[in-house]
C-alpha cells in the first residue's frame, strides 16, 4: 500500500522567438493515498482478565476508529484504536473494524475479525508427590510449579521448622528436626482468583552419624626404618 507522497515541480515559460526563459515557479502537491487497515487478527480475551490491543492502519495514520460489536466489557478508543477493558461474558463476536482518514475523510475498506472471550480455567499444581526428601541441618530448596498463572503461592498449614515458602513457590530453608510429615500449599491465579491446593508427603531424615576413626592401634615404628600407615574412618571421606 502506497504512503502519502509529496511531489514538487518547477515550471518555466520559454519564448520561442527570443529563446528567453521566464523565472521558474515551484509548485508542490501532496498525493493522499487511500487508507487501509493493517490489523489482521485480534487476540482472544479471558473473562475477568484485563484486555488490550491496538488496531493498526497504513497510509496517513491520523483518523478515527470504529469496532463493533465488541464483547461485553470492552470498548474502542476512537482516536487511538485501542480496544480495552475487562471481558465479563464468555462469547465470540465478529467485530467489524472501520478507519476514517482525518486529512481526506476517506474510509478504509472495513475488516471483520473474530474476537473470542473464554472462561478462565483453574490452576493445576503440577509438582509431583512426594516432594524430594530433606536432611536435618542441611540446606534444602525445591521450586513448585503450576499451570494457568501468573499466581501466588501460600501454605495452608504450618511448615516444618526451618522451612519457608516464597510467593513465587520456592520451598527452601534448613530443617531443624527429622520428621515424616506433609506440606500443604495453595496456588492462586493473580487475575482470576481461581486456585488449586495440594498436599505433599515430605520426609526429613536425621543427620548422618559423625565420622568414626576406625584405625586402632597404630603399628609400632623402628628407629632408622621407613614408616608408613594409613588412617581409616571407615566409609567416610573427609580431611585429616
Amino acid at each position: 500500500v502506497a504512503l502519502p507522497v509529496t511531489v514538487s515541480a518547477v515550471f518555466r515559460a520559454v519564448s520561442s522567438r527570443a529563446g528567453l526563459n521566464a523565472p521558474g515557479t515551484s509548485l508542490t502537491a501532496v498525493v493522499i493515498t487511500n487508507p487501509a487497515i493493517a490489523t489482521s487478527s485480534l487476540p482472544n480475551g479471558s473473562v475477568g482478565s484485563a484486555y488490550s490491543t491496538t488496531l493498526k492502519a497504513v497510509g496517513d495514520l491520523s483518523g478515527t476508529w470504529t469496532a463493533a460489536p465488541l464483547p461485553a466489557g470492552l470498548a474502542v478508543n476512537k482516536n487511538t484504536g485501542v480496544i480495552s477493558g475487562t471481558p465479563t461474558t464468555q462469547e465470540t463476536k465478529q467485530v467489524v473494524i472501520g478507519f476514517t482518514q482525518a486529512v481526506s475523510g476517506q474510509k478504509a475498506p472495513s475488516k471483520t475479525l473474530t474476537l473470542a472471550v473464554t472462561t478462565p480455567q483453574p490452576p493445576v499444581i503440577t509438582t509431583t508427590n512426594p516432594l524430594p526428601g530433606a536432611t536435618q541441618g542441611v540446606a534444602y530448596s525445591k521450586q513448585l510449579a503450576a499451570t494457568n498463572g501468573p499466581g501466588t503461592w501460600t501454605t495452608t498449614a504450618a511448615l516444618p521448622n526451618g522451612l519457608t515458602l516464597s510467593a513465587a513457590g520456592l520451598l527452601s530453608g534448613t530443617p531443624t528436626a527429622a520428621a515424616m510429615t506433609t506440606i500443604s500449599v495453595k496456588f492462586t491465579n493473580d487475575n482470576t482468583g481461581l486456585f488449586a491446593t495440594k498436599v505433599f508427603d515430605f520426609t526429613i531424615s536425621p543427620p548422618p552419624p559423625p565420622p568414626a576413626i576406625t584405625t586402632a592401634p597404630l603399628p609400632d615404628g623402628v628407629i632408622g626404618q621407613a614408616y608408613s600407615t594409613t588412617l581409616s574412618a571407615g566409609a567416610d571421606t573427609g580431611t585429616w
Side-chain angles (χ1 to χ4, degrees):
V1 178
L3 297 177
V5 178
T6 300
V7 179
S8 298
V10 177
F11 297 91
R12 298 179 185 275
V14 180
S15 171
S16 59
R17 289 186 302 170
L20 299 176
N21 294 336
T25 300
S26 177
L27 301 176
T28 299
V30 178
V31 180
I32 304 296
T33 61
N34 290 332
I37 297 170
T39 301
S40 58
S41 63
L42 297 174
N44 292 337
S46 180
V47 173
S49 296
Y51 180 92
S52 181
T53 190
T54 302
L55 303 174
K56 302 291 185 182
V58 294
D60 189 326
L61 303 183
S62 59
T64 56
W65 291 92
T66 58
L70 288 171
L74 298 183
V76 63
N77 184 310
K78 68 177 183 179
N79 297 315
T80 64
V82 174
I83 298 175
S84 62
T86 300
T88 59
T89 306
Q90 177 177 323
E91 57 183 328
T92 299
K93 295 289 190 181
Q94 300 301 316
V95 184
V96 180
I97 308 297
F99 177 73
T100 302
Q101 195 175 60
V103 67
S104 66
Q106 295 184 78
K107 295 181 180 294
S110 64
K111 280 188 176 182
T112 300
L113 305 176
T114 300
L115 201 168
V117 176
T118 60
T119 298
Q121 298 300 308
V124 175
I125 296 174
T126 56
T127 303
T128 56
N129 185 41
L131 290 175
T135 301
Q136 177 184 341
V138 178
Y140 180 87
S141 180
K142 172 64 179 177
Q143 177 64 53
L144 305 182
T147 62
N148 297 333
T152 302
W153 292 88
T154 55
T155 59
T156 57
L159 291 173
N161 289 337
L163 295 180
T164 60
L165 179 66
S166 74
L170 180 64
L171 179 66
S172 62
T174 302
T176 60
M180 295 185 65
T181 185
T182 58
I183 289 180
S184 302
V185 299
K186 179 179 180 180
F187 178 79
T188 304
N189 183 286
D190 291 338
N191 295 320
T192 66
L194 298 175
F195 64 89
T197 61
K198 194 166 186 175
V199 178
F200 295 98
D201 295 320
F202 189 58
T203 299
I204 303 172
S205 302
I213 298 174
T214 57
T215 302
L218 291 175
D220 295 335
V222 177
I223 294 175
Q225 294 185 10
Y227 181 90
S228 177
T229 189
T230 300
L231 302 178
S232 175
D236 290 324
T237 59
T239 302
W240 292 88

